[in-house]
Amino acid sequence: MNQDEKLSIIKDILLTDEREFTSSIEKKIKSLEKTINEKEKLSGKVDPIIDDKLNNFIKEIPKTLGPTITKTLKEEIKNSQDAVVEALFPIIGKMIKRYIQHEMKLLSDKINTQVNNTFSFKGIFRKAKSKASGVNESDLILQELSNTKIEQVIIIEKGSGIVLAEFSKNITTDEDMVAGMLTAIKSFVEDAFKKESQNLQHIDYDLYHIHLQNFSSFYIAVVISGAYNIIYQDKLEDKILDFTSKQKVSDILNNKTLINQKLEDFFNDDSI
Amino acid sequence: MIASKKIVLIGHFGVGKTSLIRRFVENTFSEDYKVTIGVHISKKTLELSEDQSVSFIIWDLEGQDDIKKTRVSYLLGTHAFIYVFDLSRPSTFENLKSEINYLHENYSKIPLKVVGNKVDLVNKEYLTQYNDEFDDLVDLFVSAKNGSRVESLFSKLAKELI
Ligand SMILES: Nc1nc2c(ncn2[C@@H]2O[C@H](COP(=O)(O)OP(=O)(O)O)[C@@H](O)[C@H]2O)c(=O)[nH]1
Ligand SMILES: [Mg+2]
């Protein structure tokens, strides 16, 4: 074998390997690409890892920060007892509030599970939205909803669930069906949790939060997309109170056209 | 003018409440039996005249073998009841009188239609046998399967509610 032949063989071996290597890499990239494209698959893989890390981090807090905190606290308490009482007062207040909030959350989770087990309401909003905008459902789920928007406001007669007035932006769901379903859920919850005298204040469905606010003969449901937190809830409550008192809604309940118009004027922009 | 009316269907399990609604709303029928859990809401608008329509918001409740067990809050604000029993199963109408009385006593002002469903499964002789029982209690014999008198049940109701 001469030099050239040897070289050629070596080249062959090397190149074959390289080709195989390349194609195996290519395969891996392809499958990665596929995984990334199938966002749901990816999040299925990534979520447990993130959860794990978070859990670990939380578990480690007492070990890493605990001793320092305890030591500092002990010293502080010894040195200035009055100041500590002063300082702890709001914290304890907050803790109690948080405890109550936590209990409320548990209760509302309990309610949600019950409701989900009882009603086949889920998906109706998302389906309607995806139909309206032409995007597929999973894309809608993944879509980041950064700003809070009022999508629909329905004034609903208590008991019967009949729609007294309605205003909506892009939602294409049938307000009569939504109102009926909400009323059924509300009746169920308020019945089932009678001893807790629980008033259903909001329902989460898929991308939407449905804020519920009671008045004497009717209640108002506001369908919201985007973040819905206590602050927003609070402001929205005020806005609704403002609306019902300023517009004297109770006096014009039988004039659907008029309230519809007032609803639109009042809720058309998303500022609250 | 469109008037919205809440209609509630009640009656034992499997008498055909869901089927009657499907026949009325979608004009379909299925032999499969899927138990209704909780409440199912559907809607259908009937045009009575050029300027008058009725939108039925129909509440399909899960069946109860005893009407007293029906969740009262589901019945609030109802504009009309349809009480359904199964003509082919006497157990679903053996307490018909007391169930209807219960409705009369507690919801005296609310219109009520009492219907015997699955009339397609029984013959004249069979029905004659129960003549006395049904006579002044039952409004209509219907069939969700072949659609017999389903439309007329709802259009009668619509006229009474306007
Ligand atoms: N032959 C016949 N079967 C019926 C009729 N209506 C309902 N069914 C059947 O009876 C069963 C129970 O019906 P469903 O509507 O689910 O009863 P529900 O529990 O009262 O809602 C189903 O298998 C239906 O297919 C009818 O008019 N004729
Ligand atoms: Mg049913």
Side-chain angles (χ1 to χ4, degrees), chain B residues 14 16-19 33-37 60-63:
Chain B
K17 298 179 291 299
T18 304
S19 302
Y33 182 41
K34 251 171 93 186
V35 177
T36 309
I37 297 171
D60 183 10
L61 305 192
E62 57 193 0

Side-chain angles (χ1 to χ4, degrees), chain A residues 6-233:
Chain A
K6 274 186 193 160
L7 204 70
S8 149
I9 289 172
I10 290 175
K11 221 173 165 185
D12 234 54
I13 294 169
L14 282 178
L15 279 181
T16 320
D17 264 16
E18 196 171 72
R19 249 181 272 128
E20 267 166 19
F21 184 66
T22 314
S23 84
S24 90
I25 291 269
E26 210 170 70
K27 250 187 231 150
K28 276 188 188 140
I29 289 179
K30 279 250 167 66
S31 91
L32 262 178
E33 229 168 37
K34 216 173 129 204
T35 322
I36 290 170
N37 281 336
E38 293 170 42
K39 286 171 192 160
E40 274 169 53
K41 250 193 200 161
L42 181 69
S43 95
K45 284 193 180 135
V46 172
D47 284 354
I49 300 173
I50 295 178
D51 283 348
D52 235 44
K53 284 264 184 276
L54 261 177
N55 281 339
N56 267 338
F57 179 68
I58 291 165
K59 250 190 253 151
E60 294 298 346
I61 288 180
K63 250 192 261 163
T64 47
L65 296 175
T68 328
I69 294 175
T70 320
K71 193 166 152 248
T72 321
L73 268 180
K74 269 188 187 151
E75 273 165 24
E76 279 297 314
I77 291 169
K78 231 193 277 158
N79 294 341
S80 43
Q81 293 203 353
D82 284 353
V84 171
V85 172
E86 199 75 328
L88 279 181
F89 198 77
I91 295 173
I92 290 170
K94 263 186 214 152
M95 271 163 62
I96 291 170
K97 196 172 161 201
R98 206 168 298 151
Y99 170 76
I100 291 170
Q101 274 169 358
H102 177 69
E103 286 297 299
M104 292 295 290
K105 170 93 173 48
L106 284 183
L107 182 62
S108 105
D109 286 352
K110 199 165 127 199
I111 292 170
N112 267 329
T113 334
Q114 279 260 26
V115 167
N116 283 337
N117 289 338
T118 315
F119 297 93
S120 52
F121 191 43
K122 237 184 156 156
I124 159 167
F125 280 107
R126 195 201 300 150
K127 289 225 167 60
K129 184 162 179 176
S130 95
K131 224 195 280 169
S133 57
V135 239
N136 74 38
E137 284 185 37
S138 47
D139 276 358
L140 272 176
I141 302 171
L142 289 163
Q143 220 170 55
E144 185 70 39
L145 283 160
S146 45
N147 41 359
T148 312
K149 283 205 175 69
I150 292 173
E151 302 284 352
Q152 189 174 33
V153 185
I154 319 178
I155 302 183
I156 302 164
E157 186 178 59
K158 274 192 183 165
S160 71
I162 298 288
V163 174
L164 299 171
E166 185 258 1
F167 160 66
S168 70
K169 286 182 193 154
N170 320 322
I171 277 188
T172 54
T173 44
D174 185 310
E175 69 267 18
D176 288 324
M177 308 259 285
V178 173
M181 212 58 220
L182 286 176
T183 308
I185 293 172
K186 210 161 138 15
S187 308
F188 173 82
V189 169
E190 287 167 9
D191 238 30
F193 294 86
K194 220 181 242 154
K195 59 175 189 296
E196 286 100 333
S197 72
Q198 175 67 12
N199 222 317
L200 193 61
Q201 286 166 332
H202 68 95
I203 298 175
D204 289 346
Y205 271 109
D206 295 332
L207 291 177
Y208 296 98
H209 308 279
I210 305 170
H211 173 98
L212 303 173
Q213 200 161 325
N214 277 315
F215 294 86
S216 62
S217 66
F218 59 92
Y219 70 98
I220 295 186
V222 183
V223 181
I224 292 151
S225 61
Y228 174 77
N229 52 28
I230 290 192
I231 300 161
Y232 186 88
Q233 190 180 336

Side-chain angles (χ1 to χ4, degrees), chain B residues 11-21 29-36 60-63 84 86 89 117-121 142-147:
Chain B
H12 295 200
F13 292 96
V15 296
K17 298 179 291 299
T18 304
S19 302
L20 281 171
I21 295 170
F29 177 79
S30 151
E31 299 279 352
D32 308 340
Y33 182 41
K34 251 171 93 186
V35 177
T36 309
D60 183 10
L61 305 192
E62 57 193 0
V84 187
D86 182 344
R89 277 191 299 144
N117 186 34
K118 309 196 189 177
V119 71
D120 59 284
L121 292 180
V142 298
S143 165
K145 187 171 182 178
N146 63 27

Side-chain angles (χ1 to χ4, degrees), chain B residues 114-130:
Chain B
V114 180
V115 302
N117 186 34
K118 309 196 189 177
V119 71
D120 59 284
L121 292 180
V122 299
N123 56 29
K124 272 223 167 71
E125 289 74 61
Y126 178 89
L127 284 179
T128 329
Q129 196 188 322
Y130 294 105

